Amino acid sequence: MKNRIYISELNRHIGEEAVIAGFVDVRRDQGKLVFFDFRDMTGKVQGVILPNNKEAHATADPIRTEWVLEVRGKVNQRPEKNIQKEKLNGDIELEILEIKVLNEAETVPFDVSSDGRELGEDIRLKYRYLDIRRDRMQKNLRARHAVTKYIRDYFSNNGFIEVETPILTKSTPEGARDYVVPSRIYPGKFYALPQSPQQYKQLLMVGGVEKYFQIARCMRDEDTRGDRQPEFTQLDIEMAFVEEEDIMSMNEKLLIELVEKFYPEKKIQQIPFPRITYKDAMEKYHSDRPDIRNDKNDPNLLAFCWVVDFPFFEKTEEGGWTFTHNPFSASKPEDAEKIMEKKDIGSILAAQYDIVLNGFEIGGGSIRNHRPEALIKVLEILGHEAEKIQDNFGHMLSAFSYGAPPHGGIAWGLDRFMMLLQSEDSIREVIAFPKTGEGRDLMMDSPSEIEAKQLKELEIVIKTREQLLEKLKHNK
Ligand code: ASP
């Protein structure tokens, strides 16, 4: 828009005419004077129509909150007694000369000038595009952008490159349930959405990239519980020729920098971050993500710690073994022989480290098994048959047979981390368009049925309505 001035910059134009554009935040009628608060992405300002401006009065008459306007006015200094020092533009007022209506607004379903805590979440999510107008959401989204940008710069400055990995990939037994996507060209076959870029990032190490990161979307079809989202964002990192220490210190440095730069009001309880073995954490805190804050009432206290030396395997209900974190992890070097001989399995420790903040696991990673023979042993311990190992992991074994540098990495749950930094109590507050706790998008109305034509193209037959209703009953 030509000549538009952002509201936060109006005070540089005192005594001049200025054109602003934005939403009507508040309208107040005081007889002959009409006051408006206008809002754009940079802030708010009060405007007033003086009694003699008949034309502006006429235009303003129908205007209500959330209308979108272009306003030309004169930036006036407020008289001393009306100055609100602590407020942006508390020292000025826009004397409205001319109003152009860019778009009218129906009465909005809720007030967007509050913090929204008085509202049920469903209505906020249904009208998320309005909910995002509120100051609290604007702050959360802008803070997330600032932190993400800092992260990108940090890694770029340290020789990392961001590489995009596929969203349509292959279903592999990685822990959680996969979301699958039917293939039209190969009826009866499916892609899977990535639970994490784990395998691709390791293959990038085989590819000689050495330092990789990605702000990556991950999808896991888990039962909706508490604060989980079907899709979430990870800061994903992998490095070649490293040991546990390298990855931990590089991440610790970044975490400290982020807090100091963007959250100076917050205090990190202990630097360097304490390191607690899994065994000690379980004995002392009865949790592998201990909340070690020495004052739990202080919202500005950040108690980071590393939890290390996790058991590699744990018993399944059926009496076999499963991995505690990641099938691609290496054992601690001193336990490497136990893997090769498949003995004392319960005592094998993984080269795994989790980063915990105030009782939340905000990240985790490991040094990987880069020798194919050791990876095969792990998969055998996990009960995979030789044929399945080739089917599911053949590409990894093959890759590792062509010269794979030792490597390791980590991933942070970016949503959870932002939630804690922003002192929010749900990750949904730091995600622009989250699903509900039950996995639904109330704004788009998703998941939803698809056209019969689409089903036919995919050669998919849905059970009858009766069969589906029966199934839903059992799911309850
Ligand atoms: N891929 C792992 C995860 O998603 C993290 C890692 O080990 O890098 O939890």
Side-chain angles (χ1 to χ4, degrees):
M1 195 170 281
K2 223 174 114 215
N3 299 331
R4 178 189 176 198
I5 288 174
Y6 291 115
I7 286 177
S8 65
E9 288 168 9
L10 279 176
N11 57 10
R12 292 193 212 149
H13 297 269
I14 293 173
E16 298 168 19
E17 269 189 34
V19 175
I20 60 165
F23 299 93
V24 174
D25 199 55
V26 183
R27 176 198 168 108
R28 279 183 305 275
D29 279 272
Q30 274 184 17
K32 293 200 170 87
L33 295 176
V34 178
F35 290 94
F36 286 103
D37 287 348
F38 300 116
R39 182 181 78 235
D40 72 9
M41 66 171 187
T42 67
K44 297 179 186 176
V45 68
Q46 176 170 291
V48 61
I49 310 179
L50 298 179
N52 59 357
N53 191 341
K54 297 275 176 301
E55 215 181 312
H57 273 284
T59 323
D61 197 41
I63 294 176
R64 295 292 177 270
T65 50
E66 302 311 314
W67 283 41
V68 182
L69 310 179
E70 184 184 322
V71 177
R72 188 170 59 82
K74 187 158 167 266
V75 186
N76 290 333
Q77 182 92 47
R78 288 193 194 188
E80 193 64 41
K81 63 175 182 9
N82 290 347
I83 289 181
Q84 293 178 286
K85 275 222 172 63
E86 60 301 338
K87 222 166 130 186
L88 171 75
N89 292 333
D91 57 337
I92 58 168
E93 187 173 64
L94 192 68
E95 180 190 329
I96 298 168
L97 301 174
E98 190 188 354
I99 297 178
K100 202 159 131 193
V101 175
L102 301 178
N103 207 341
E104 302 179 5
E106 301 278 350
T107 306
V108 285
F110 48 69
D111 180 12
V112 304
S113 65
S114 70
D115 65 12
R117 287 180 217 274
E118 74 288 2
L119 295 166
E121 197 180 32
D122 281 7
I123 189 142
R124 291 181 57 203
L125 292 182
K126 179 159 170 64
Y127 297 98
R128 188 58 151 186
Y129 45 85
L130 296 178
D131 193 54
I132 288 173
R133 290 185 190 172
R134 71 179 78 254
D135 198 40
R136 168 172 163 223
M137 291 305 293
Q138 289 279 322
K139 283 198 175 121
N140 286 348
L141 293 182
R142 287 170 199 283
R144 184 174 175 139
H145 163 74
V147 167
T148 309
K149 179 175 185 307
Y150 194 89
I151 289 173
R152 286 201 154 101
D153 291 343
Y154 178 88
F155 285 106
S156 305
N157 294 339
N158 281 287
F160 286 70
I161 58 167
E162 182 163 19
V163 183
E164 291 169 80
T165 53
I167 293 292
L168 292 176
T169 159
K170 180 185 160 77
S171 185
T172 54
E174 239 179 282
R177 195 179 294 108
D178 285 320
Y179 277 104
V180 293
V181 180
S183 160
R184 178 184 57 82
I185 302 173
Y186 303 99
K189 299 206 168 164
F190 295 83
Y191 300 98
L193 304 181
Q195 295 183 22
S196 87
Q198 182 68 37
Q199 298 191 32
Y200 289 107
K201 68 175 174 175
Q202 290 193 244
L203 294 169
L204 286 171
M205 295 304 108
V206 179
V209 167
E210 287 200 29
K211 288 179 165 183
Y212 145 94
F213 82 101
Q214 184 182 188
I215 306 290
R217 202 65 69 79
C218 306
M219 279 64 89
R220 297 182 188 173
D221 187 3
E222 294 178 295
D223 288 335
T224 48
R225 209 177 337 123
D227 204 18
R228 277 198 195 142
Q229 285 281 304
E231 57 181 302
F232 57 95
T233 303
Q234 279 188 347
L235 161 62
D236 197 42
I237 301 158
E238 197 76 8
M239 298 166 79
F241 307 106
V242 283
E243 288 160 7
E244 285 186 59
E245 190 53 48
D246 300 304
I247 293 170
M248 291 163 77
S249 56
M250 153 148 251
N251 279 272
E252 184 164 326
K253 184 163 171 284
L254 172 58
L255 288 165
I256 296 167
E257 280 182 27
L258 282 171
V259 172
E260 287 177 350
K261 179 156 175 59
F262 296 108
Y263 299 90
E265 72 283 7
K266 294 202 189 280
K267 190 182 169 303
I268 298 177
Q269 180 166 293
Q270 197 182 333
I271 296 176
F273 301 166
R275 296 181 182 190
I276 307 173
T277 64
Y278 170 81
K279 190 163 164 283
D280 288 350
M282 293 311 283
E283 274 168 17
K284 197 160 160 207
Y285 301 96
H286 309 287
S287 167
D288 60 359
R289 40 186 172 80
D291 188 349
I292 60 164
R293 276 178 296 175
N294 41 33
D295 176 2
K296 295 207 172 75
N297 295 316
D298 179 352
N300 281 333
L301 186 63
L302 298 177
F304 289 97
C305 66
W306 292 98
V307 180
V308 295
D309 295 357
F310 284 88
F312 199 137
F313 302 97
E314 66 189 6
K315 275 258 179 253
T316 62
E317 275 171 23
E318 296 82 38
W321 293 102
T322 182
F323 52 90
T324 64
H325 281 81
N326 191 328
F328 300 105
S329 298
S331 67
K332 288 281 215 189
E334 52 276 22
D335 286 344
E337 228 165 79
K338 289 187 198 163
I339 297 248
M340 293 315 289
E341 289 166 19
K342 295 200 264 183
K343 66 166 200 224
D344 296 338
I345 291 170
S347 75
I348 299 173
L349 297 182
Q352 166 84 31
Y353 31 83
D354 279 2
I355 178 82
V356 174
L357 171 56
N358 294 0
F360 290 90
E361 185 200 320
I362 56 161
S366 63
I367 299 299
R368 325 297 183 186
N369 236 331
H370 69 287
R371 291 200 182 83
E373 58 281 8
L375 178 56
I376 291 178
K377 293 287 178 203
V378 170
L379 295 170
E380 286 172 2
I381 293 173
L382 295 173
H384 294 275
E385 282 153 24
E387 197 184 319
K388 279 266 174 229
I389 292 181
Q390 272 316 316
D391 277 2
N392 288 325
F393 303 103
H395 55 288
M396 296 295 279
L397 295 169
S398 161
F400 290 170
S401 73
Y402 292 110
H407 59 282
I410 191 168
W412 306 0
L414 200 62
D415 308 298
R416 180 140 301 136
F417 182 49
M418 285 312 304
M419 170 190 99
L420 293 167
L421 291 178
Q422 290 295 104
S423 306
E424 289 287 3
D425 47 22
S426 156
I427 61 171
R428 297 189 288 271
E429 304 295 351
V430 295
I431 298 174
F433 298 105
K435 312 275 187 288
T436 63
E438 289 77 42
R440 295 182 56 208
D441 180 333
L442 297 177
M443 184 183 68
M444 304 288 260
D445 187 21
S446 164
S448 60
E449 283 157 9
I450 58 173
E451 298 287 330
K453 178 167 172 279
Q454 291 173 293
L455 287 173
K456 191 155 173 273
E457 278 174 349
L458 296 165
E459 304 292 348
I460 289 181
V461 181
I462 304 278
K463 288 182 177 168
T464 62
R465 203 181 141 71
E466 287 68 32
Q467 285 169 323
L468 282 176
L469 287 176
E470 191 61 25
K471 177 151 179 7
L472 278 178
K473 233 182 1 205
H474 285 295
N475 282 354
K476 284 250 163 85

